[in-house]
Amino acid sequence: MEDETPEVIRAADDAYEAIRSINHLTITQIHPAPTVYSVLGNLKGVGHLLPQACTQLARSLGRSLDEYDVYEDDGRDPIQSVAAATDHLTRAAQLAAELGAELEKAQSAISRQGYRETPAP
């Protein structure tokens, strides 16, 4: 049977799993600055890309009201919930942009660090 999950959901699942993996890999492992620098480089990219994703998701929600017979299961007007979601996605886009900028600053702060292996006793 073919997976009918929309590709956008699978991509979001992959992003979630990637961050979850980083969380697990940083619980007990120690990572020197050059490794963290590389990780931050990718994470700052996420922060810089999320605003566009949030904005486009909000736009897509709005357009769905014209393309589909959208309804709320409690009888409320779906325009109101889409407007609320759009407001939250707009704020999330702003916060994500700040996140990307902060991760870039963190990366820059350690950009000149190196390390040597500690000799075994």
Side-chain angles (χ1 to χ4, degrees):
M1 183 161 87
E2 188 175 318
D3 183 5
E4 294 184 20
T5 303
E7 188 174 353
V8 68
I9 293 175
R10 290 195 310 268
D13 288 344
D14 292 345
Y16 169 82
E17 287 300 327
I19 298 298
R20 188 171 173 266
S21 291
I22 291 169
N23 289 347
H24 285 286
L25 293 168
T26 57
I27 290 173
T28 58
Q29 294 179 5
I30 298 169
H31 303 283
T35 300
V36 174
Y37 180 89
S38 293
V39 172
L40 292 174
N42 288 322
L43 290 178
K44 79 177 181 193
V46 171
H48 291 311
L49 292 173
L50 272 174
Q52 180 179 351
C54 291
T55 301
Q56 290 174 185
L57 286 169
R59 187 177 311 125
S60 182
L61 265 177
R63 290 176 51 199
S64 75
L65 295 171
D66 295 327
E67 296 290 323
Y68 298 98
D69 181 18
V70 179
Y71 64 91
E72 296 282 342
D73 62 5
D74 62 0
R76 291 183 303 143
D77 185 353
I79 292 172
Q80 293 173 346
S81 61
V82 167
T86 297
D87 288 345
H88 291 297
L89 285 165
T90 299
R91 178 70 178 134
Q94 293 165 347
L95 293 171
E98 290 178 33
L99 171 68
E102 290 301 319
L103 291 171
E104 191 166 348
K105 290 175 188 174
Q107 185 188 35
S108 179
I110 60 171
S111 66
R112 299 175 68 95
Q113 271 192 30
Y115 71 99
R116 293 180 209 59
E117 296 288 334
T118 305

